[in-house]
Structures are given as C-alpha cells and as structure tokens.
Amino acid sequence: MGSHAAAKRRRPIVSGALGVTLLAALLCVPSAGGAPVSADACRTGDTEMPRGDCGPFWQVLAEDFNGDRVPLGAFSDCDHHADTSGAYCAGLTGTYRDNWWAYPTGWRDTANDRARDVVGVYHPEDTVSVGAAANGDGRMRVRMWRPADGGPVHAAAVVPRAVMQMKYGKYSARIKVTKQAAGYKSAWLHYGGGCEMDHPEGEWTGSLSAFHHPCGGGAQGSFHGADDWTEWHTVSTEWTPGTVRFFVDGRERGRDTRGVPDRPLSWVLQNESALEGPGAAPGSSAQLEITWVTAYAYGWK
C-alpha cells in the first residue's frame, strides 16, 4: 500500500466457435496453434513492448528506455510543482525531463507510518538510472540500498508525467528484480481520496500480488499474481468505469467492482522499504529493472 509524508463478477456464457475464441482470450489458454492468448485488452503478455491503441484504450506513453542514457544523479531537484501534472526534476534533460518525475529527496516512505524498525526516505538521485544491459536492451534501474551505518533505506518512486492525474486507463510494464535482498518491496499504485489500487505489490523476496482498497472503505481485494520477482513479468492494470482488472503475463489475476475510483489519479511506480518481514540490513542493496512501460487513456468507443 502506498503513502508518503512530507517528507467477482460472473462472466456471460458464450457458445459456438466465437464463444470458444472469447473464452480462450479471457482465460489466456493456448490457442489452436499452441501459443497462449493474452486476456488483457492489448494482448500484453509477450516480451515486446506493445505499440498503438487497443480496444477502448489509446496509447499516450510507450517507453522502451533505448534512447538517451540517464546516469545516477540526474533524477535530482524534483521538488517542483510536486504531485501535480506540472511536476518535474530539474536534473533531468530532454525527453526524460518531459516524461518523468520522481518523489523528491527527503520525502518519507510508507514504513515511516507503520512503526517499522527500518524505514526509508526517497532519494531518486542515487537510486534511479537508465542505461543498456549487457545484451544492449535499454532499461530503467531502481537500485535501493541502506547505508552501512544503518540509516534509512534509500527508496525511489518514479512517475510517468503523461498519466499524472488521469481518470481511468491502462498501465503496463515489464519488470524483473535482478538483485534480491530482504527488506525491499514495490507497491506500484494509484491512490487518493480514500481510494487505492496497487499492482504489483510485495516484498522482493516474496511473491507479486495486486490489491484493491475500495473507495469509502470495505474489505480489500487481494489477488495473487506470480510467485517470484526474479523472473521477467509483464504486469498490467486496466481501470475503467466501475471495474479494475489486474493481469500478469497476459492472465487476469483478479478484478473488483466495489468502490472503483472515479476521479483522476497518478500512476506511481513506488519502490520502498519493506512493510513485512525483516528490515533491510545495513550495507545491503536490491535492484529492480524495467525494460518497457506503456500507458493508455480510456475513451468510450
């Protein structure tokens, strides 16, 4: 779940050849050719970044990180128009300054509100970078770490500016934890006004899950997504009027229709100190890599 301090609906029965096709898409089962059919609106389950509009969604962001390199230190001076669509990091340049923001240095992570022994403070300047992997693939890297002297975890929350304060939409990314250590987690989320949708969420040494906290209260919806953060996964959230759906690797892992937000919210790629289990050890670090991110606005068609 996310915060910062300053600092099942029944599916209709279908029949015939068309029904079999639709049902296969919903369940992400193999097609006649043997390949799995993704259940999400853009068929987003493969390794390739999807491009173009799909269903009721039109693409407003497609980032594969194959452009300019962004070294450590560039995600700095981010306290400009914070938490608004005008937010920016003055340390960034070019398209990255246009397209990305991060929680400013000094904002406290969620663990600070949970009386945890180990808490975190956002430091995008020394945790976030963009560059090529050994195979040439461009990636955003989030390397969180705890100082050897035992101070707070250096955490990171990055925000695509194109979908800040946007109502409804589709949000997808391909991610992998490339270095594990106890005490680090993600909670990528939309939240505000008593509403919250988290996907993916979980300690990096555990499993991926999705959570929906209905607007106005009520029991949270909890949905298991995948067992292991250290495998590549494609994660997607589809948020439409009255429904939120969560997908991992093309399979629908859960949906909820209770108290779904109907107000503009930002998509926050939040990574922070753990809320469960052991805290990060002094001198430890862990790393998440993102090979692409896409986002879509929602429109009636």
Side-chain angles (χ1 to χ4, degrees), residues 18-152:
L18 177 60
V20 171
T21 300
L22 291 174
L23 188 59
L26 286 169
L27 298 179
C28 192
V29 298
S31 66
V37 179
S38 175
D40 82 326
C42 298
R43 302 297 182 256
T44 312
D46 203 352
T47 60
E48 296 298 318
M49 182 178 71
R51 293 186 181 275
D53 305 340
C54 50
F57 302 104
W58 49 282
Q59 195 169 55
V60 295
L61 173 68
E63 176 60 75
D64 60 10
F65 304 110
N66 287 327
D68 295 337
R69 178 176 175 269
V70 181
L72 282 176
F75 270 88
S76 61
D77 194 10
C78 297
D79 201 5
H80 297 275
H81 308 294
D83 260 351
T84 73
S85 57
Y88 67 92
C89 297
L92 293 173
T93 60
T95 59
Y96 281 98
R97 181 166 175 171
D98 294 338
N99 295 335
W100 293 91
W101 178 64
Y103 281 3
T105 300
W107 281 16
R108 298 179 295 151
D109 76 1
T110 310
N112 287 269
D113 301 326
R114 304 294 179 86
R116 292 277 294 177
D117 291 336
V118 179
V119 299
V121 175
Y122 291 108
H123 282 277
E125 77 286 354
D126 60 23
T127 54
V128 184
S129 62
V130 176
N135 64 358
D137 180 39
R139 298 176 187 174
M140 174 177 279
R141 295 181 177 87
V142 177
R143 178 184 175 271
M144 296 190 288
W145 55 283
R146 189 179 180 203
D149 65 5

Side-chain angles (χ1 to χ4, degrees), residues 217-230:
Q220 71 174 5
S222 176
F223 312 98
H224 176 71
D227 292 332
D228 192 347
W229 286 84
T230 63

